[in-house]
Amino acid sequence: MLRSERLLLYTPLIALDVIAPTAARSDAEAQRWLGSRTEEIVQNEDAREVFLSMRADDDLSGFETRDRLMMMMRKVEKPTDGVVRLTAVHVADGRYAGATSVSLESGEIGGWLAPDYRRQGLGVELFRAAVQLGHRHLGLKVVRAGAEPTNNASRGALASAGFTPAPGPARFTLGDGREIDATWHQHRQEATSRCRG
């Protein structure tokens, strides 16, 4: 578990800890930059709004159907894809605010915020958490991030989180197949540690 000034970040424990952050990146504005595959987003706008209104500590016992409740409360299995993910909750209101991740193989990070939490400087906190996860918990000397040259919010948050320009491919293919221009950034720290477990 990591804590910034306004965010609490933790490894997803139940399915809702994955579904709500997925809803946070499913709107058109987020997808302009993220380009996720269709099966990786919450397409139904009404469902998206329900998930984005939920708090991480909500009592789900009154949820509309027992089957859906059981699905949301199901424990999340440890991922086998080599990516460590953190769910972000806004400390002041307890709502799901987004997520971040670090690839164990490449050190590449990613992250996003729900619509209500954008343009408030929370991207800096999100990327600082990814840096802390990469260096202090996973033992990575370098973490990297790519961003479109026109994505000023992401590039500004990366710079404010201590990332510097880095070499990388000029073009990148997103999950939805779109090929975009890319700039690359890195955060280097020689003294790292790795958590057990």
Side-chain angles (χ1 to χ4, degrees):
M1 186 177 306
L2 299 174
R3 169 85 189 256
S4 67
E5 181 184 342
R6 295 173 290 173
L7 296 174
L8 178 67
L9 299 104
Y10 59 91
T11 303
L13 302 171
I14 60 173
L16 183 59
D17 293 338
V18 175
I19 297 168
T22 299
R25 72 173 187 198
S26 297
D27 60 290
E29 179 185 10
Q31 284 307 304
R32 173 182 175 202
W33 307 113
L34 297 172
S36 302
R37 294 188 311 264
T38 303
E39 63 272 15
E40 296 175 326
I41 61 173
V42 177
Q43 295 183 48
N44 182 289
E45 286 187 40
D46 292 336
R48 192 183 312 153
E49 290 304 314
V50 168
F51 290 126
L52 293 178
S53 69
M54 297 180 91
R55 294 170 40 98
D57 63 353
D58 273 347
D59 174 12
L60 300 177
S61 61
F63 208 75
E64 59 191 61
T65 67
R66 180 164 173 75
D67 290 343
R68 198 168 284 176
L69 168 65
M70 296 307 292
M71 185 270 301
M72 288 191 298
M73 295 299 293
R74 176 179 43 86
K75 288 191 184 298
V76 176
E77 294 181 23
K78 188 173 182 177
T80 59
D81 61 358
V83 177
V84 179
R85 295 168 177 84
L86 295 177
T87 295
V89 171
H90 195 267
V91 172
D93 62 21
R95 288 173 44 211
Y96 290 97
T100 190
S101 63
V102 178
S103 166
L104 292 170
E105 184 179 329
S106 66
E108 191 170 315
I109 72 162
W112 61 85
L113 292 164
D116 287 350
Y117 300 103
R118 296 174 192 157
R119 297 171 192 79
Q120 300 174 32
L122 289 169
V124 177
E125 293 183 38
L126 195 68
F127 290 141
R128 283 183 182 149
V131 164
Q132 190 174 356
L133 174 64
H135 295 320
R136 294 187 190 165
H137 297 277
L138 303 176
L140 301 172
K141 289 187 177 181
V142 177
V143 291
R144 297 172 43 85
E148 279 193 69
T150 57
N151 189 342
N152 295 327
S154 182
R155 293 178 67 215
L158 288 165
S160 295
F163 283 75
T164 58
R171 301 285 289 165
F172 184 80
T173 302
L174 299 172
D176 64 4
R178 282 185 294 134
E179 191 174 295
I180 60 167
D181 291 331
T183 61
W184 293 90
H185 314 267
Q186 70 179 7
H187 193 285
R188 179 178 291 279
Q189 183 172 314
E190 294 304 321
T192 64
S193 60
R194 185 170 175 92
C195 293
R196 295 180 185 186

